[in-house]
Amino acid sequence: MTAAAALPMNGAMTPVFFYHLERQPLESVLPKLLNTSLERGWRVVVQTGSEERSEAIAAQLWAHDEDSFLPHGTKADGFPDLQPIWITAVEENPNNANIRFFVDGAPVGDIAGLTRAVILFDGNDSEAVEAARAGWKRFKSAGHEVSYWQQDEQGRWQNRAAAGN
């Protein structure tokens, strides 16, 4: 993760949400967050750690729920500007996304201009937890509003810590 202290177009710092995955894997959590983002009218980029992982997540989204569909694409599909959800392994925003999800330890680059940046990390991976802690400190010290989300026993997401400007 790299610090990004630039101001978004609206003059405010991009809020950064940290999701600590302990009770459910990424494959269960990400589709719900993507669906919520689309319901809010946002366009999305999901940045992964590798092209192979991008394709695996794309394939998983096709099969995640037979009663719903999350419109998405990857480099292999092309036409990024037409995709409400773009899945990539590189820092790009070809679909003019409002929100960016960073998964699998993907490096956090420039987040200026986003409505929100979301970092999902595996609570069972000590390196991922340490990277998230370092990211929290870095973004907080740069002036971003940061929040830490963790699931309770019923599976509901709770904001366990928030630090504003």
Side-chain angles (χ1 to χ4, degrees):
M1 289 184 217
T2 59
L7 294 175
M9 291 176 223
N10 65 4
M13 299 295 281
T14 299
V16 182
F17 288 51
F18 290 83
Y19 277 80
H20 191 159
L21 305 179
E22 295 176 295
R23 300 183 185 276
Q24 295 179 322
L26 178 69
E27 292 76 13
S28 297
V29 173
L30 185 60
K32 294 173 189 170
L33 294 173
L34 294 174
N35 189 57
T36 299
S37 297
L38 294 180
E39 287 174 354
R40 292 180 176 174
W42 294 342
R43 294 178 69 80
V44 179
V45 166
V46 177
Q47 186 173 335
T48 66
S50 69
E51 288 294 335
E52 295 79 16
R53 186 65 169 139
S54 293
E55 292 302 328
I57 287 174
Q60 187 263 327
L61 289 179
W62 284 113
H64 90 279
D65 183 353
E66 59 189 50
D67 295 327
S68 69
F69 170 68
L70 289 170
H72 66 279
T74 67
K75 184 169 101 175
D77 302 310
F79 306 101
D81 55 323
L82 301 178
Q83 305 293 347
I85 300 170
W86 184 250
I87 306 168
T88 183
V90 298
E91 184 177 340
E92 63 179 345
N93 189 359
N95 66 341
N96 197 29
N98 308 86
I99 184 169
R100 188 177 195 91
F101 291 88
F102 298 90
V103 302
D104 300 331
V108 181
D110 184 13
I111 61 171
L114 294 172
T115 301
R116 182 175 296 168
V118 180
I119 299 167
L120 293 102
F121 64 98
D122 183 351
N124 298 311
D125 179 339
S126 60
E127 288 182 22
V129 171
E130 287 305 313
R133 285 183 182 139
W136 171 280
K137 291 175 188 172
R138 187 168 35 256
F139 285 111
K140 182 180 175 188
S141 68
H144 292 269
E145 178 183 334
V146 292
S147 58
Y148 169 74
W149 297 83
Q150 191 174 35
Q151 283 184 307
D152 64 16
E153 294 75 28
Q154 291 76 38
R156 295 178 302 229
W157 288 100
Q158 304 291 320
N159 187 353
R160 302 286 190 200
N165 297 343

